Each structure stands twice: as C-alpha cells, then as structure tokens.
Amino acid sequence: IEELETAMNMRFAATFAAVAEAFSLAFARLFGGGSAQLLLNEADQGIEIIAQPPGKRRQPLSLLSGGERSLTAVALLVALLHVNPTPFCVMDEVDAALDEANVVRFREMLVELSDRTQCILVTHNRGTVEVARTLYGVTMQPDGASKVLSLQMDELVETEAGGVTYVGTNL
C-alpha cells in the first residue's frame, strides 16, 4: 500500500506540474497577456486558481468577472486536454459572457484544440459558429414538431452577390 501511495503521489505531482504549466500558457494566450497559476492547497487538499488578467491585479478565481472566469475555465480545460487528450469534449455556452476580442482568441484556441479532440459546442455566438465544420440546430415546424437541421460548412458556396448557398442534400 505504501509503495502504491508513493507511486500515485509521484504521478499526481508530475501531472499537476504539467497541467499547471500548460494552464499558464493557455491563460496568457486566451487573455492576450496576463498570468495565472494553479496552486495545490495542502490544507484542504484542493486546487486554487490565482489569475492576473492584463492590466489587473492578481486575484482568486472568485473575484474575476463572468467573462474572465469563463475564459480561465477554458484555459484550464485546454491545459487538461493538452496533457491528457480525449477523443471529444462538450462545452455548453462557455463563450456566452465573452466580448468580441476574447471570442476571437477563444476561436483560435478551439481550432487548434480540434486538431486532436472533437469539440462539441452549444453556442449562440455567431463569432464562434464561424469556425464550426458542422452545425446542428433544432427548429420548430408550423405543426409544433421539432426538426433537427444539419449543415456541413464545407458544402457551402459563396454566391457572387455575397450570399451563401448550400449544395449538400442533408439539410
């Protein structure tokens, strides 16, 4: 048991260090600067996040704005997926509280992340939708029944008038 506990503690420490480093890098990229740290709180065996967005002071996660907390959470998720990739990731409206500049950086990170992990996003943000490869939507028919729509973005063609035409058959 002692040997197993030692091995688990060593593995946790190595993984935590890798995630903390990846988190700091992802935070700086998503915020366009600033810094953040993951700290292990030995007293209650929890993890603390201390963040310093550009132009602000260092503060715990609880004192950040809604958009800053969302972006910090995305930075942590990206760090975890960098250290231990998974086949897919589901995110539900994580971009809802982001301003346009942060949405642009979020989209860039999402495109990079999608090279190794399939990302499934629930969003109403047009800026985020622009980088999607496939869109799914649910619409209500006149008779009250729901209908699922699917759209492959690579099957769209731009018309001369600047409009978009769908050339696929599954819509």
Side-chain angles (χ1 to χ4, degrees), residues 100 107 111 123 125-133 135 153:
E100 188 58 36
R107 284 187 337 201
V111 169
T123 185
N125 191 309
R126 289 178 192 234
T128 303
V129 169
E130 289 175 1
V131 297
R133 293 182 189 143
L135 297 177
M153 298 306 285

Side-chain angles (χ1 to χ4, degrees), residues 76-121:
L76 181 57
L77 177 64
V78 167
L80 290 166
L81 291 172
H82 178 76
V83 172
N84 190 12
T86 61
F88 65 92
C89 173
V90 179
M91 293 183 244
D92 187 6
E93 296 194 39
V94 296
D95 58 352
L98 303 182
D99 61 19
E100 188 58 36
N102 287 327
V103 167
V104 169
R105 289 190 294 271
F106 171 67
R107 284 187 337 201
E108 291 169 358
M109 188 74 73
L110 232 126
V111 169
E112 285 179 28
L113 183 62
S114 69
D115 288 340
R116 59 188 180 277
T117 298
Q118 182 177 7
C119 297
I120 301 166
L121 253 67

Side-chain angles (χ1 to χ4, degrees), residues 26-61:
F27 181 91
R29 275 202 59 211
L30 282 167
F31 277 86
S35 64
Q37 286 182 289
L38 276 183
L39 303 172
L40 197 54
N41 185 336
E42 299 289 338
D44 65 0
Q45 297 180 339
I47 294 173
E48 292 182 46
I49 296 176
I50 304 297
Q52 184 175 8
K56 295 192 173 184
R57 61 182 173 80
R58 283 175 46 98
Q59 52 196 341
L61 183 65

